[in-house]
Amino acid sequence: MRPPDPEGQAVAVFAALTDPKRRALLEELSRAGPATVTDLARRLPISRQAIAKHLSQLVEAGLISAGEPAGRRHPYRLEPAAIRTAQVWLAKLANRWDDRLAALERVLDVTETKESSNDEQA
């Protein structure tokens, strides 16, 4: 299986994070550690069915994984790699913007210096 490209992984992470219930599930897993659907339903005001659906979407995005089952219980845990991939992608994007803004600033400085020089000569 081919690993997802960084941009594709970032898009999946951002799409998963758009929903406040999925963010609440991630926050709860971050705060309390691995948990099952039942555990999460007891702690959050979200139905078991909705939790199962949201967990599936978080698994697809690579943000969480299902641990080894203990009977019919499947604990879910955070997977930090997907967030790191999205952070790296954002950092590269930010660097590109920083480079472009720095280039624009240099052009504006040169233009301003030429205008000041022309004003002094006049």
Side-chain angles (χ1 to χ4, degrees):
M1 184 172 125
R2 215 175 106 209
D5 67 294
E7 184 177 357
Q9 180 70 59
V11 167
V13 167
F14 300 141
L17 295 176
T18 61
D19 189 280
K21 290 179 182 175
R22 288 193 289 270
R23 291 193 307 270
L25 289 166
L26 287 173
E27 180 65 30
E28 184 61 23
L29 290 171
S30 172
R31 185 189 67 72
T36 65
V37 171
T38 302
D39 297 333
L40 293 166
R42 272 191 236 122
R43 297 181 208 156
L44 298 168
I46 307 171
S47 71
R48 286 174 42 95
Q49 294 79 12
I51 288 173
K53 175 186 154 204
H54 288 301
L55 290 176
S56 173
Q57 292 168 322
L58 292 169
V59 168
E60 267 186 52
L63 290 164
I64 64 171
S65 64
E68 288 297 317
R72 291 179 25 180
R73 298 171 53 89
H74 296 266
Y76 288 87
R77 64 182 32 86
L78 293 176
E79 292 294 336
I83 289 287
R84 288 189 191 114
T85 300
Q87 287 175 319
V88 167
W89 184 82
L90 276 175
K92 286 180 183 177
L93 183 64
N95 286 339
R96 287 185 203 131
W97 273 102
D98 289 344
D99 292 346
R100 288 180 179 161
L101 290 173
L104 176 60
E105 185 176 30
R106 286 190 299 275
V107 168
L108 292 173
D109 286 345
V110 168
T111 303
E112 185 178 279
T113 301
K114 286 181 182 178
E115 286 177 359
S116 291
S117 178
N118 287 341
D119 288 345
E120 288 175 7
Q121 291 177 357

